[in-house]
């Protein structure tokens, strides 16, 4: 099966500070690739670079098309979406406004709102509420709904369950699994349980490069994840 | 004395309040929303006024000049944003310096082309009508009406249009907006063009009731900033209230003291307003209402 996302020899950073170098991996449809590593390893930086909001060298291909130097809005339009770890809502805008922006040009607004309500019923009940007044868990649901209701080719998720109550995590994981069966998912995750529940392959970032890769299950069984993440 | 104040003098209070709101509305976009300390705002007003003057000279049609004024100011505005200011959104001091430099350049170009001598733009609708035995100038009434229609239009546009929704998202979080498919660069350019065009319209509307010279725009710069800041940066409703309070108060004070003293008092009121407004914001938050400074 042809990969939906192909990353080859990617390097990026902030100004003179190089954060990532020589990062290569690919993700096929229906696959969840977990990017793991300690704090400061460059996981979020990798997602920013893939999403087109951080300059980079190397090559990024989305469904065969070279998107290495595309701006973020073009990357999004091409079918790659991002679920940020935090700072995921616009102040002053309602839940409906957020979902309207997400589905613009992809599907009918009402259809998108219904899909969001089906994914997370609480969002359907709070369409007119300002998103910044939602709880942390509901914000995560909104960020996920924005990404998943547009039937994306590639989903970039930055620790979607971090800081969320266990009862909410129980809702998020099945929703993510059900909505990404045909997408390629890049999941930045520190939580091994979440990685085991969702992921197939894992890539451990150390000092800006992929130090270890393999299946999540195998790396876990051999104790590599626990050792490398120092948990 | 009180009877003499009404209605013609009270109408002047309304006119000056409308002028304050009109000149500040363009700045709402460039400074209030985009966060650019836009010292070239006065020169965008100047461009609108001199465009009207030039078209009047060339074609004899003042109304055509007024229609072209927002276009000219909008084009200059978007050229400045794309050419210079878009690189400086994260560098406020540099953008302040850039807009100051651009304002000086535009003023000097206007002076070179049109001379520093006073110029007159004639009112497209002259004369006045009687109300309760007092003369109300038609053009001043039209300024009030245009300002009112403009405000309603701008509020509706920002609240109901797709551009307005995307603009508010871009202003709130440009990075997130970009990753959700909004071309944040184009959106910022659009907002700057819109703010510049409204400044140009203000210049065109105010030209017939003023004497034009290259310093014309500077007359409105300080008051525009006062209105936007006191109204709550980014809040159009606050801008309207601040414009009415400051403009109305200035007009009323001018009946009982010199213009200079009135302006000093207005600045004092503005300083008190800046000091008190955050306290009002805290009070409103304490009451559980929306905080001041929302986008519209």
């Amino acid at each position: 099966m042809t990969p939906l996302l192909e990353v080859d020899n990617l390097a990026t950073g902030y100004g003179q500070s190089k954060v990532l170098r020589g990062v290569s991996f690919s993700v096929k449809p229906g696959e969840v690739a977990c990017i793991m590593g300690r704090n400061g390893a460059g996981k979020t930086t990798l997602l920013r670079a893939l999403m087109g909001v951080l300059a980079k060298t190397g090559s990024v291909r989305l469904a065969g098309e070279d998107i290495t130097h595309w701006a973020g809005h073009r990357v999004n339009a091409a079918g790659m979406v991002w679920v940020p770890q935090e700072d995921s809502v616009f102040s002053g805008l309602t839940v409906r406004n957020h979902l309207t922006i997400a589905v613009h040009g992809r599907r009918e607004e009402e259809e998108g709102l219904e899909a969001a309500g089906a994914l997370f019923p609480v969002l359907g009940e709070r369409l007119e509420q300002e998103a910044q007044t939602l709880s942390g868990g509901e914000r995560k649901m909104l960020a996920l709904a924005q990404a998943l209701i547009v039937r994306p080719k590639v989903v970039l998720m930055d620790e979607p369950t971090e800081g969320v109550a266990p009862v909410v995590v129980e809702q998020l994981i099945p929703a993510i699994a059900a909505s990404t069966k045909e997408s390629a998912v890049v999941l930045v995750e520190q939580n091994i349980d979440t990685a085991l529940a969702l992921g197939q392959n894992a890539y451990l970032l150390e000092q800006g490069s992929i130090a270890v890769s393999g299946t999540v299950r195998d790396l876990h069984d051999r104790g590599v994840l626990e050792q490398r993440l120092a948990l | 004395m009180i009877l003499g104040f009404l209605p013609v003098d009270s109408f002047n209070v309304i006119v000056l309040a409308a002028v304050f709101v009109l000149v500040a509305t363009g700045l709402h976009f460039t400074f209030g929303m985009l966060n650019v300390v836009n010292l070239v705002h006065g020169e965008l007003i100047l461009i609108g006024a001199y465009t009207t003057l030039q078209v009047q000279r060339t074609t004899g049609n003042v109304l055509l000049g007024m229609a072209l004024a927002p276009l000219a100011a909008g084009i200059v505005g978007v050229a400045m944003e794309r050419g210079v200011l878009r690189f400086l959104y994260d560098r406020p001091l540099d953008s302040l310096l850039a807009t100051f430099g651009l304002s000086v350049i535009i003023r000097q170009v206007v002076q070179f082309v049109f001379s520093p001598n006073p110029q007159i733009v004639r009112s497209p609708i002259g004369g006045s009508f009687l109300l309760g035995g007092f003369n109300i100038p038609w053009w001043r009434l039209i300024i009030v009406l245009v300002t009112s229609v403009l405000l309603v239009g701008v509020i509706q546009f920002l609240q109901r249009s797709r551009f307005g929704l995307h603009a508010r998202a871009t202003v709130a979080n440009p990075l997130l907006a970009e990753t959700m498919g909004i071309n944040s660069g184009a959106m910022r350019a659009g907002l700057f063009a819109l703010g510049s065009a409204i400044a140009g319209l203000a210049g065109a509307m105010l030209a017939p009731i003023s004497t034009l010279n290259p310093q014309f725009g500077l007359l409105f710069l300080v008051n525009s900033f006062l209105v936007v800041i006191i109204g709550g940066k980014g809040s159009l409703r606050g801008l309207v209230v601040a414009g009415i309070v400051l403009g109305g108060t200035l007009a009323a004070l001018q009946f009982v003291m010199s213009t200079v003293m009135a302006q000093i008092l207005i600045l004092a009121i503005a300083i008190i307003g800046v000091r008190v407004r955050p306290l009002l914001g805290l009070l409103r938050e304490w009451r559980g209402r929306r905080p001041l400074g929302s986008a519209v």
Side-chain angles (χ1 to χ4, degrees):
Chain A
M1 197 181 295
T2 312
L4 273 175
L5 178 67
E6 298 166 85
V7 181
D8 184 32
N9 201 27
L10 182 143
T12 188
Y14 302 93
Q16 298 298 313
S17 168
K18 298 298 172 200
V19 178
L20 296 174
R21 53 193 161 275
V23 173
S24 301
F25 64 96
S26 62
V27 193
K28 293 174 183 164
E31 179 187 341
V32 177
C34 295
I35 306 295
M36 307 182 84
R38 292 179 181 171
N39 288 338
K43 305 184 293 295
T44 299
T45 300
L46 173 63
L47 297 194
R48 286 176 171 233
L50 293 178
M51 200 60 220
V53 292
L54 200 55
K56 57 193 167 292
T57 59
S59 160
V60 179
R61 300 183 80 83
L62 172 63
E65 190 160 19
D66 187 351
I67 61 162
T68 310
H69 301 296
W70 286 16
H73 66 275
R74 281 189 73 194
V75 173
N76 175 277
M80 192 187 299
V81 294
W82 183 33
V83 183
Q85 183 181 9
E86 52 193 22
D87 206 15
S88 61
V89 297
F90 301 111
S91 60
L93 266 59
T94 63
V95 171
R96 179 190 292 275
N97 291 152
H98 283 74
L99 295 170
T100 301
I101 291 170
V103 299
H104 173 53
R106 307 286 186 82
R107 58 197 295 188
E108 290 298 320
E109 184 181 326
E110 284 308 315
E111 196 187 28
L113 294 178
E114 282 174 22
L119 200 57
F120 300 113
V122 68
L123 296 180
E125 297 161 8
R126 301 193 176 191
L127 287 176
E128 308 311 327
Q129 185 172 332
E130 284 195 13
Q132 72 204 40
T133 65
L134 295 173
S135 70
E138 288 163 350
R139 286 190 195 196
K140 290 276 186 190
M141 289 180 192
L142 178 58
L144 280 167
Q146 287 168 183
L148 300 179
I149 61 175
V150 299
R151 298 184 283 244
K153 291 175 185 158
V154 175
V155 185
L156 311 179
M157 282 193 269
D158 198 348
E159 301 199 47
T161 60
E162 203 241 343
V164 178
V167 66
V168 179
V169 174
E170 286 173 13
Q171 294 177 62
L172 295 182
I173 288 181
I176 293 170
S179 305
T180 55
K181 285 179 179 163
E182 295 172 7
S183 307
V185 178
V186 178
L187 172 67
V188 162
E189 191 54 72
Q190 293 269 52
N191 186 311
I192 294 173
D193 290 336
T194 305
L196 284 167
L198 289 171
Q200 285 94 51
N201 293 318
Y203 301 88
L204 265 82
L205 281 178
E206 284 181 6
Q207 297 178 337
S209 303
I210 294 174
V212 180
S213 63
T215 65
V216 180
R217 174 60 58 188
D218 180 51
L219 294 177
H220 171 63
D221 290 347
R222 290 194 287 125
V224 176
L225 293 181
E226 288 77 359
Q227 182 192 354
R228 295 275 181 162
L229 296 175
L231 296 174
Chain B
M1 178 69 186
I2 295 297
L3 284 176
F5 186 77
L6 296 171
V8 69
D9 292 341
S10 57
F11 180 69
N12 283 335
V13 171
I14 294 169
V15 171
L16 202 52
V19 168
F20 268 56
V21 172
L22 180 61
V23 296
T25 302
L27 196 64
H28 166 75
F29 288 91
T30 55
F31 173 56
M33 293 183 78
L34 290 175
N35 226 14
V36 174
V37 183
N38 184 17
L39 295 183
V40 78
H41 178 68
E43 279 58 44
L44 292 165
I45 294 173
L46 185 72
I47 287 170
Y50 272 89
T51 301
T52 310
L53 174 71
Q54 183 58 37
V55 175
Q56 173 190 275
R57 281 179 177 173
T58 312
T59 67
N61 190 337
V62 186
L63 279 177
L64 177 64
M66 290 181 169
L68 293 175
L71 190 64
I75 290 170
V76 172
V78 82
M80 289 190 299
E81 198 276 344
R82 288 290 88 186
V84 180
L85 299 174
R86 73 179 166 123
F87 304 108
L88 307 176
Y89 280 113
D90 298 326
R91 292 150 59 188
L93 287 179
D94 291 343
S95 74
L96 185 145
L97 190 62
T99 57
F100 175 72
L102 289 164
S103 74
V104 172
I105 292 169
I106 291 172
R107 217 160 43 239
Q108 293 301 321
V109 169
V110 168
Q111 185 162 317
F112 179 75
V113 174
F114 292 93
S115 89
N117 299 327
Q119 317 272 349
I120 300 294
V121 171
R122 65 180 166 77
S123 177
I125 301 171
S128 57
F129 64 97
L130 281 174
L131 183 68
F134 294 95
N135 276 328
I136 304 288
W138 276 109
W139 188 248
R140 287 170 191 255
L141 177 64
I142 286 171
I143 288 173
V144 175
L145 293 176
V146 166
T147 303
S148 306
V149 170
L150 177 74
L151 271 175
V152 172
V154 164
I155 290 172
Q156 292 298 313
F157 181 64
L158 287 178
Q159 284 284 17
R160 298 187 187 280
S161 73
R162 188 169 303 283
F163 178 91
L165 177 60
H166 287 191
R168 287 186 289 144
T170 301
V171 168
N173 191 333
L175 183 71
L176 184 63
E178 182 74 24
T179 62
M180 283 181 68
I182 297 171
N183 186 340
S184 56
M187 206 51 61
R188 282 167 156 170
L191 282 173
F192 206 94
L194 197 55
S196 303
I198 292 171
L201 175 68
M205 297 296 296
L206 298 176
I209 61 170
S210 316
T211 302
L212 277 191
N213 64 53
Q215 313 298 318
F216 176 73
L218 290 177
L219 298 174
F220 304 106
L221 184 65
V222 172
N223 287 335
S224 299
F225 271 99
L226 283 182
V227 169
V228 173
I229 291 169
I230 291 174
K233 204 166 136 287
S235 166
L236 256 182
R237 293 189 179 94
L239 178 150
V240 174
V241 172
I244 290 170
V245 169
L246 291 179
T249 307
L250 180 64
L253 288 173
Q254 283 174 349
F255 293 113
V256 292
M257 62 182 70
S258 70
T259 302
V260 173
M261 277 305 294
Q263 188 69 49
I264 289 171
L265 260 178
I266 284 296
L267 286 170
I269 291 170
I271 291 166
I272 294 167
V274 169
R275 177 69 189 88
V276 169
R277 209 185 64 79
L279 299 179
L280 292 176
L282 286 176
L283 186 64
R284 290 182 65 171
E285 282 184 39
W286 180 70
R287 286 176 180 170
R289 295 177 186 170
R290 282 184 69 185
L292 292 172
S294 52
V296 176

